[in-house]
């Protein structure tokens, strides 16, 4: 059946023009997904696949995704994004490619470096959307060299919309090119500042 659908999509591409063909799927609770191939809009030059890890306490929500890459998000290609404190971790990895059907197959997730790197940030986590007072400091790891603050409401996959306030370590580009996949945020503020070496 999937082979038939792929053949239909390829025939449609031949008829309608030279647009990129990418696999599309979004599934929570797994590290892999597969779906149908779709014709991307004419301005799309890349396919994308990746994994979002949203962990709050002991609740880990993994979401695998594949799609046409929104041109406005192309700066995120090949970069890993992480926002982490002792109670929460949001990690998004993306792999981009630029040919038909190139995002098919398994989602590869790079290993996360958990080695302390000498940077430190304030940390806090509350169920309020108006801010939180630091409860201590957290050692940043790997490529995290930025202190980040989030205030607002978030809809985690399979969870109701709830308010959150957090301070954490983050990777350098987190505030500038953070594009959530399955976790949706509303009425929020996100700030970043360079972390300091201890």
């Amino acid at each position: 059946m999937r082979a038939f659908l792929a053949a239909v999509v390829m025939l449609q591409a031949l008829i309608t023009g030279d647009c990129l063909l990418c696999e599309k799927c979004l599934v929570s609770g797994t590290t892999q997904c597969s779906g149908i191939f779709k014709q991307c809009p004419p301005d799309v030059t890349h396919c994308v696949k990746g994994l979002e890890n949203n962990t709050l306490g002991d609740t880990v929500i993994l979401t695998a995704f594949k799609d046409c890459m929104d041109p406005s998000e192309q700066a995120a290609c090949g970069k890993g994004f992480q926002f982490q404190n002792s109670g929460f971790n949001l990690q998004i990895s993306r792999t981009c490619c630029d040919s038909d059907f190139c995002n098919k197959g398994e989602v590869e997730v790079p290993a996360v470096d958990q080695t302390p790197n000498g940077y430190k940030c304030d940390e806090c986590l509350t169920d309020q959307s108006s801010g939180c007072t630091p409860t201590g400091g957290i050692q940043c790891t790997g490529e995290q060299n930025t202190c980040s603050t989030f205030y607002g409401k978030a809809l985690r996959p399979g969870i109701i919309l709830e308010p959150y306030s957090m301070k954490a370590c983050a990777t350098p580009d987190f505030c500038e090119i953070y594009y959530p996949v399955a976790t949706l945020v509303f009425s929020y503020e996100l700030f970043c500042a360079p972390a300091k070496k201890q």
Side-chain angles (χ1 to χ4, degrees):
M1 183 65 175
R2 284 187 61 201
F4 174 74
L5 291 173
V8 170
V9 171
M10 287 191 297
L11 179 61
Q12 181 184 6
L14 291 172
I15 294 170
T16 58
D18 189 27
C19 292
L20 189 64
L21 295 167
C22 299
E23 188 174 3
K24 178 179 176 63
C25 59
L26 177 70
V27 181
S28 290
T30 182
T31 59
Q32 301 296 328
C33 70
S34 61
I36 62 168
F37 288 94
K38 75 170 200 174
Q39 187 173 354
C40 301
D43 61 337
V44 170
T45 59
H46 287 74
C47 301
V48 63
K49 63 181 175 180
L51 186 73
E52 179 183 284
N53 177 340
N54 185 317
T55 300
L56 179 61
D58 294 328
T59 306
V60 180
I61 303 173
L62 301 174
T63 303
F65 60 93
K66 298 177 183 178
D67 207 345
C68 301
M69 180 99 194
D70 186 316
S72 67
E73 298 179 9
Q74 199 165 318
C77 283
K79 295 187 178 179
F81 298 90
Q82 192 173 24
F83 178 99
Q84 182 178 22
N85 63 27
S86 58
F88 179 75
N89 177 40
L90 178 65
Q91 179 185 341
I92 303 171
S93 60
R94 286 179 174 86
T95 302
C96 306
C97 54
D98 61 1
S99 60
D100 288 341
F101 313 114
C102 63
N103 67 336
K104 66 182 179 181
E106 292 191 358
V107 174
E108 301 89 15
V109 181
V112 177
D113 184 358
Q114 296 291 350
T115 307
N117 60 19
Y119 290 100
K120 188 175 182 180
C121 293
D122 288 337
E123 75 163 338
C124 60
L125 172 63
T126 70
D127 59 358
Q128 305 293 318
S129 60
S130 57
C132 60
T133 302
T135 55
I138 184 172
Q139 301 281 339
C140 299
T141 61
E143 296 181 4
Q144 301 167 0
N145 63 3
T146 301
C147 296
S148 187
T149 302
F150 172 88
Y151 307 132
K153 295 182 178 180
L155 186 62
R156 301 173 67 227
I159 309 293
I160 63 171
L161 182 68
E162 294 182 322
Y164 298 97
S165 292
M166 297 179 258
K167 293 180 182 291
C169 291
T171 47
D173 300 316
F174 187 81
C175 279
E176 284 74 25
I177 49 179
Y178 161 60
Y179 303 108
V181 178
T183 301
L184 303 178
V185 290
F186 303 91
S187 305
Y188 73 97
E189 294 183 63
L190 182 63
F191 305 101
C192 289
K196 294 182 179 178
K197 285 274 192 181
Q198 291 182 313

